[in-house]
Amino acid sequence: MSDHSPWKAFTVERKDHVAQVTLIGPGKGNAMGPDFWAELPVLFGELDADPEVRAVVLAGSGRNFSYGLDLVAMGGSLGAVVSGKALAKPRTDFHTLIKNMQAAITAVADCRKPVVAAVQGWCIGGAVDLISAADIRYASADARFSVREVKVGMVADVGTLARLPLIIGDGHVRELALTGRDIDADRAEKIGLVNDVHADADAVLAAAHATAAEIAANPPLVVQGIKNVLDHTRSPQVDDSLRYVAAWNAAFLPSEDLTEAITAVFEKRPPQFKGE
């Protein structure tokens, strides 16, 4: 990473009208902490405005795409709303936090330059929200996906439940979201979560770049027009879903089960949920 890079959670390389955005953490497994959420909308706003960029490749550094939300780094943001004394003020603040995080992911979806995601290793929770905002998704053979929020006492609230039904179909969304189970690359391809599966991390990144190069070779304003038209009918539906889940979680996220889920993560034991 070059010293002059303004980003802490990403590296950005531009070549031949394609920008590669790589998640670098700083949390383990490229976990999505405060830097990620602050920088993502600014970065994709810049890529959207850069006339030299015609397509974007989204990748993760190391063995995994991303472990998702960095619970340790973001724990302070949850503290006030799960304290047991959360009335209007902390809930309003939490609602604002959710809206800001949603806007970060939406910046990827709204980028006029098509985004091709290259996924290797784990893609968990918030990382599924992120790739759901991409236009095209490829996976390496070792990729694993999990809509895991249910396992930590949360309704997924930054894009998965809004966008995934438009990608893979209702039954598959419900299965993944209600169980929180892991699926492998073959299953992800079978249900349409990813377009293709490639041998390894290098191969999936090369495939993403090949597609991005094909897109970049086409008339850029026409490419942007295609994306705009495709997004036109889905955008109101996504926006409505995001608004609803933000209000839902501001009201109902605090629970003893959430506290138990987070405690179990830190104590490395199975959680015992009671519906309280």
Side-chain angles (χ1 to χ4, degrees):
M1 183 176 175
S2 57
D3 292 338
H4 64 272
S5 172
W7 315 110
K8 295 178 182 176
F10 306 94
T11 58
V12 183
E13 303 165 63
R14 293 172 172 85
K15 184 181 179 183
D16 298 332
H17 298 299
V18 174
Q20 179 176 322
V21 175
T22 307
L23 282 64
I24 58 170
K28 183 180 179 183
N30 305 321
M32 300 153 77
D35 290 332
F36 172 91
W37 298 106
E39 293 176 358
L40 187 67
V42 181
L43 170 54
F44 270 84
E46 288 187 6
L47 296 174
D48 177 83
D50 186 347
E52 290 301 307
V53 174
R54 298 184 180 183
V56 180
V57 170
L58 183 60
S61 61
R63 295 173 60 184
N64 300 291
F65 181 76
S66 175
Y67 287 169
L69 183 70
D70 190 333
L71 273 174
V72 177
M74 299 296 286
S77 302
L78 289 171
V81 82
V82 300
S83 67
K85 300 177 181 179
L87 296 177
K89 180 63 165 67
R91 288 175 189 269
T92 300
D93 292 344
F94 184 64
H95 184 260
T96 300
L97 174 68
I98 295 173
K99 297 284 282 184
N100 289 339
M101 292 170 69
Q102 289 178 340
I105 300 293
T106 295
V108 178
D110 285 354
C111 180
R112 289 174 295 173
K113 319 305 170 61
V115 179
V116 185
V119 179
Q120 82 280 11
W122 282 109
C123 180
I124 300 172
V128 177
D129 293 290
L130 179 60
I131 67 165
S132 296
D135 295 276
I136 296 165
R137 288 157 294 278
Y138 296 137
S140 64
D142 72 341
R144 298 291 183 273
F145 302 84
S146 177
V147 182
R148 197 170 290 181
E149 284 86 349
V150 68
K151 297 282 193 184
V152 289
M154 300 179 183
V155 176
D157 60 8
V158 293
T160 289
L161 299 187
R163 295 187 176 94
L164 217 52
L166 299 163
I167 298 169
I168 67 173
D170 187 71
H172 293 304
V173 175
R174 289 172 189 262
E175 180 183 340
L176 296 181
L178 293 169
T179 64
R181 67 170 52 139
D182 307 332
I183 62 168
D184 62 18
D186 287 342
R187 176 77 194 284
E189 183 182 25
K190 183 178 180 181
I191 65 177
L193 177 58
V194 299
N195 293 48
D196 280 308
V197 177
H198 299 272
D200 53 32
D202 290 340
V204 73
L205 189 59
H209 272 282
T211 295
E214 278 191 75
I215 293 169
N218 288 329
L221 298 182
V222 176
V223 166
Q224 293 172 33
I226 292 167
K227 179 165 178 175
N228 189 287
V229 171
L230 288 171
D231 288 346
H232 177 71
T233 52
R234 72 166 57 184
S235 292
Q237 179 180 334
V238 169
D239 181 64
D240 187 57
S241 177
L242 291 173
R243 286 173 181 267
Y244 183 65
V245 77
W248 179 277
N249 270 359
F252 297 119
L253 181 73
S255 70
E256 290 184 15
D257 280 346
L258 174 62
T259 304
E260 165 65 8
I262 295 172
T263 303
V265 168
F266 282 100
E267 294 181 358
K268 297 182 179 179
R269 61 170 174 81
Q272 300 294 321
F273 296 126
K274 298 177 181 177
E276 296 177 352

